[in-house]
Amino acid sequence: MKDGRACFEAWAGDHEWSDWTKPTLFAGSFGPADTSGGRSADELLAAARAMLSRYAESELTARGADGALNVAVVDLAGSDSIAVGALLAERGFAPVVLMNGVTPPLNPVVDNSLIVRALAELAPKLAVERNPSPAFLLDSRRLEGAVGPGRYDNRWITFPQDFPSAGRLQAARVKRCFVLAEPNRVADDLAHILRRWQDAGIAILDPSGPTPTRLDVRPPPWFRQVFYRSVALSGMKPNSFGGFGALIPIVTSGAGHGGGFRGGFG
Amino acid sequence: MSLPTAAGSVPGCAVTARLSPAVFRRYRLDAIFHGRKWDAQIFDRSAIADRALLLAREDWRELESATTALYSETLEVEQRLHELARDEGTARYLPRRAWNRLRSLPPQALDGRARLMRFDFHPTEEGWRLSEVNSDVPGGLNEASSFHRLWPEPTAGWQVTGDPARAYIAHVIEAFGLRAGARVGLVHATAYSDDWQQMALFQELLADFGVEAIGVSPTSVELRSDGVHESGRPLDAALRFFPGDWLLFAREGAPWFERHPANLSNPLGALYSQNKFFPVACAALGIGTPTWQRYLPRTCRLALADLGRSRDLAKPCFGRVGEDIAAINDLDARSKLGIALDLLFGRGLWIRQEAFRGLNLGSASEPIRACVGVYCAGGKVIGGYGRLTGERFVDMRATDSPVFVVN
């Protein structure tokens, strides 16, 4: 599927969680035809099946035995996250793409081209059941990548306002949330969301063992602080995510203003 | 569609009926893909309204007239506050580091050639009221420049308010004397797709003039005595969408104040008026602001004693999207403690402002309150857009709507 809007519509679907799908990857310079090195839909799904087999597969369903809904947060690397999301559709989930990184034309720090390719490849194969439960898809590489001269820093973080509130999930009878993450940890930015859900009574579960185990998501730095978003984005937080510079400067003699707001405020 | 007849000073404005769900779905997609509205959902709410805001012609005229007067007054206020801030005898009204940076700004930081401001007006029972000016990095240009074009219902006989993004870029080109082949930096927070959606629009508009636009962050450029350099090459101008107050308060923001470049839109002198404390400072320093006084609700310094009981609002001085605005009487103990600490250890970070009652454009069961953001560049009104909410305040939970002027 080569048209960004059509691809977006396929992934967003038409269900109660459609509106949360982030258009950033679809509306930017969407051009799967220009990418190379990506895997076919079948290859992506085969890899995703192998990946899912490492989890408590029989538990990974959109509805628990008690009839309550389970949601999933998939925080895997790039196209793996997309493929696992597509596969979860077979289990009653609706994949909700929450990836929010831009796709600049030149030298990005985070390469999103294979994600875009996977979105295009898998769009025609998506089959979301009626009344699905959401599976939110993130890219675990969103803060990774070699930052260097001449590269476009398109790293990103996810925010609580990108997700449904705990109240909204509970109104839909959500009681549990599976976290599929690689590496198997809750990233700081994601902890801001999961801790809110946990505080509201939603069980956060790690399905990486034979049976899911309950996670205790600790309050991350700046939890529930009004200015968290501003502070995080400006890189002023003490354990800063970095400067989020766009083009990282070519270091020349006398250049004294590169590198970002690391370490900054206070 | 005709508006309810204005009674006395009550503004003539209304909202259209809701779009049907199917029509709204198409409009939302158009807004995302043609209007570059990528932050279309915030928590559980759509950021795109399913209604349009309609203004009576005489009301739009009033807003245009008020906006041009406020624009001129604001530029004069910034100049005067800067002159006074440089005077050692003037009392400081910001935390020390921020104050020292601001008062050390060179003259080009008060350059009025390529200024863009957005004034936020609210219809109330007592007429139009102004909540603030976004004079530093006014956002919403994507929405204001496209939603009226994409609106799916008939608009025959309705007038649009302008295409502010296109008008702003044309103004910058002229004000800075940019020619085909020029290179312009778009200074923004690249992690923030809300920023990038606006940068993408500007890149396209600048390309129409043969100008190359390069996305940069404040830390990815070099500030030299002869201007901003990117990858070792000078830029002819820079358009800034990275909030000036983030630079003002961050340790690493210092070079932007020490080596403030020429040809920067908006320049950092805008922070004098972006600071919501400025009406208090003007009153104390004897600076006349007649148009501001006419439209802005009574504004004063927030004192510790006010936190005990007050019917007014507490507003952070550098809030931008309505975050943290609250009725003082509604504040919980934790919030009051946070503000109290700011008041004890900071200076000039909060104001107290008389609350106004926004006109209910909906019904008793579904109240709708509105705000009209009116853009002004170079002294000319270039367009506007609406924000609608069912809440008491128009804040980040509000939805964006097109504005049409009707007879």
Side-chain angles (χ1 to χ4, degrees):
Chain A
M1 194 174 284
K2 293 180 182 177
D3 175 60
R5 180 168 173 158
C7 192
F8 174 81
E9 288 190 74
W11 277 93
D14 186 11
H15 49 75
E16 94 178 275
W17 310 105
S18 297
D19 289 348
W20 278 271
T21 302
K22 287 278 179 195
T24 314
L25 282 172
F26 304 91
S29 50
F30 187 87
D34 298 331
T35 62
S36 57
R39 292 173 286 179
S40 68
D42 289 343
E43 288 168 334
L44 284 161
L45 291 173
R49 276 200 180 86
M51 214 170 292
L52 270 189
S53 69
R54 299 204 291 263
Y55 293 96
E57 266 196 284
S58 60
E59 305 279 341
L60 276 177
T61 56
R63 275 185 174 68
D66 56 359
L69 287 191
N70 303 324
V71 299
V73 173
V74 182
D75 196 8
L76 302 173
S79 55
D80 287 344
S81 196
I82 298 296
V84 166
L87 213 51
L88 286 174
E90 296 173 2
R91 295 162 177 264
F93 290 96
V96 179
V97 179
L98 285 188
M99 297 176 186
N100 213 11
V102 297
T103 46
L106 291 172
N107 300 325
V109 168
V110 182
D111 183 1
N112 291 325
S113 62
L114 295 183
I115 299 179
V116 172
R117 172 76 178 256
L119 289 168
E121 284 287 324
L122 292 168
K125 305 242 175 201
L126 282 173
V128 176
E129 293 176 9
R130 287 168 62 88
N131 303 317
S133 184
F136 302 104
L137 312 184
L138 299 169
D139 179 4
S140 61
R141 309 166 311 145
R142 59 191 173 277
L143 282 168
E144 294 175 1
V147 177
R151 304 196 70 180
Y152 189 96
D153 188 353
N154 61 338
R155 291 174 299 167
W156 58 281
I157 52 179
T158 193
F159 290 101
Q161 52 265 48
D162 297 336
F163 289 77
S165 68
R168 177 70 182 76
L169 292 176
Q170 286 176 315
R173 300 190 61 227
V174 170
K175 283 193 177 171
R176 291 168 291 269
C177 170
F178 296 117
V179 181
L180 286 69
E182 186 64 48
N184 197 20
R185 57 164 181 76
V186 174
D188 261 8
D189 58 345
L190 181 57
H192 279 267
I193 294 105
L194 297 182
R195 175 66 195 210
R196 278 171 166 82
W197 293 358
Q198 179 176 285
D199 284 349
I202 295 172
I204 310 299
L205 301 171
D206 171 10
S208 61
T211 56
T213 54
R214 195 161 183 145
L215 290 172
D216 179 18
V217 181
R218 301 290 176 83
W222 294 84
F223 183 63
R224 285 192 183 278
Q225 295 297 305
V226 172
F227 296 114
Y228 162 65
R229 192 159 192 260
S230 308
V231 167
L233 286 170
S234 63
M236 290 189 288
K237 166 175 199 266
N239 59 343
S240 169
F241 291 122
F244 300 118
L247 283 169
I248 295 149
I250 307 282
V251 179
T252 57
S253 58
H257 191 58
F261 286 124
R262 287 186 185 82
F265 207 55
Chain B
M1 180 169 181
S2 61
L3 295 177
T5 308
S9 60
V10 178
C13 59
V15 289
T16 62
R18 283 183 189 285
L19 298 173
S20 71
V23 172
F24 177 66
R25 186 178 152 84
R26 281 199 305 278
Y27 169 62
R28 183 177 182 276
L29 282 169
D30 286 344
I32 289 170
F33 285 92
H34 298 306
R36 292 193 178 88
K37 177 69 176 169
W38 298 348
D39 54 337
Q41 179 82 5
I42 295 176
F43 283 118
D44 304 334
R45 299 168 190 239
S46 168
I48 301 167
D50 57 2
R51 301 175 188 269
L53 181 60
L54 307 177
L55 298 184
R57 193 167 301 281
E58 57 267 37
D59 285 82
W60 176 243
R61 281 201 198 106
E62 179 184 345
L63 297 188
E64 283 185 306
S65 167
T67 296
T68 50
L70 288 163
Y71 178 91
S72 304
E73 226 168 72
T74 303
L75 286 180
E76 285 169 20
V77 160
E78 289 171 0
Q79 289 284 354
R80 190 73 189 113
L81 285 176
H82 190 52
E83 287 165 15
L84 290 168
R86 294 176 76 87
D87 183 342
E88 292 294 339
T90 302
R92 174 167 65 87
Y93 58 88
L94 276 171
R96 189 176 302 281
R97 183 165 72 187
W99 177 252
N100 287 337
R101 283 183 184 177
L102 204 53
R103 66 196 293 267
S104 69
L105 280 171
Q108 64 260 34
L110 279 297
D111 184 352
R113 284 178 301 159
R115 287 299 302 274
L116 174 70
M117 300 184 198
R118 194 192 73 220
F119 295 89
D120 291 348
F121 293 95
H122 303 248
T124 77
E125 297 286 349
E126 291 81 39
W128 289 97
R129 288 289 176 272
L130 181 67
S131 57
E132 64 175 339
V133 60
N134 277 281
S135 60
D136 183 45
V137 285
L141 285 160
N142 287 36
E143 296 85 341
S145 302
S146 65
F147 281 17
H148 56 80
R149 277 190 288 109
L150 303 171
W151 186 248
E153 301 277 279
T155 58
W158 296 357
Q159 179 195 327
V160 301
T161 59
D163 182 341
R166 189 170 293 278
Y168 168 59
I169 292 299
H171 177 64
V172 166
I173 295 278
E174 187 184 347
F176 289 156
L178 300 176
R179 296 172 184 277
R183 296 170 77 236
V184 168
L186 303 175
V187 186
H188 68 293
T190 57
Y192 195 0
S193 75
D194 307 17
D195 266 21
W196 182 247
Q197 65 193 9
Q198 191 162 302
M199 301 308 102
L201 173 62
F202 287 168
Q203 211 162 29
E204 183 180 293
L205 293 171
L206 285 161
D208 289 346
F209 290 91
V211 173
E212 182 190 3
I214 301 146
V216 297
S217 84
T219 55
S220 70
V221 289
E222 294 170 48
L223 297 169
R224 298 183 189 171
S225 56
D226 62 340
V228 184
H229 287 240
E230 179 274 317
S231 295
R233 294 171 60 199
L235 295 169
D236 297 291
L239 308 187
R240 181 174 60 85
F241 299 92
F242 193 96
D245 51 296
W246 293 4
L247 295 172
L248 185 65
F249 290 103
R251 190 186 309 152
E252 290 80 357
W256 281 86
F257 295 84
E258 293 160 2
R259 301 193 289 277
H260 190 288
N263 288 3
L264 178 66
S265 175
N266 282 326
L268 286 165
L271 287 170
Y272 280 107
S273 58
Q274 181 65 39
N275 181 358
K276 291 185 180 63
F277 199 83
F278 94 82
V280 182
C282 285
L285 295 166
I287 301 171
T289 54
T291 319
W292 272 95
Q293 284 185 335
R294 178 176 168 192
Y295 285 98
L296 190 72
R298 180 178 45 81
T299 300
C300 50
R301 182 190 303 271
L302 180 65
L304 270 178
D306 298 327
L307 295 175
R309 185 157 189 82
S310 170
R311 294 167 64 186
D312 292 343
L313 305 178
K315 286 186 170 186
C317 286
F318 285 105
R320 197 171 296 100
V321 291
E323 75 275 29
D324 226 17
I325 294 175
I328 293 172
N329 283 342
D330 294 346
L331 286 168
D332 59 26
R334 188 166 171 261
S335 303
K336 282 186 179 177
L337 177 63
I339 295 174
L341 290 174
D342 270 0
L343 296 177
L344 282 171
F345 298 109
R347 190 175 291 197
L349 296 175
W350 290 85
I351 55 163
R352 175 163 65 88
Q353 194 168 74
E354 186 178 20
F356 55 72
R357 187 86 180 147
L359 198 61
N360 182 4
L361 306 180
S363 61
S365 59
E366 192 192 358
I368 299 172
R369 294 190 167 79
C371 167
V372 184
V374 185
Y375 295 92
C376 191
K380 285 184 188 165
V381 171
I382 54 174
Y385 79 118
R387 306 201 75 216
L388 305 176
T389 184
E391 307 291 335
R392 189 170 163 196
F393 306 118
V394 179
D395 57 19
M396 67 186 293
R397 293 169 295 183
T399 56
D400 300 331
S401 78
V403 172
F404 297 102
V405 179
V406 302
N407 283 318

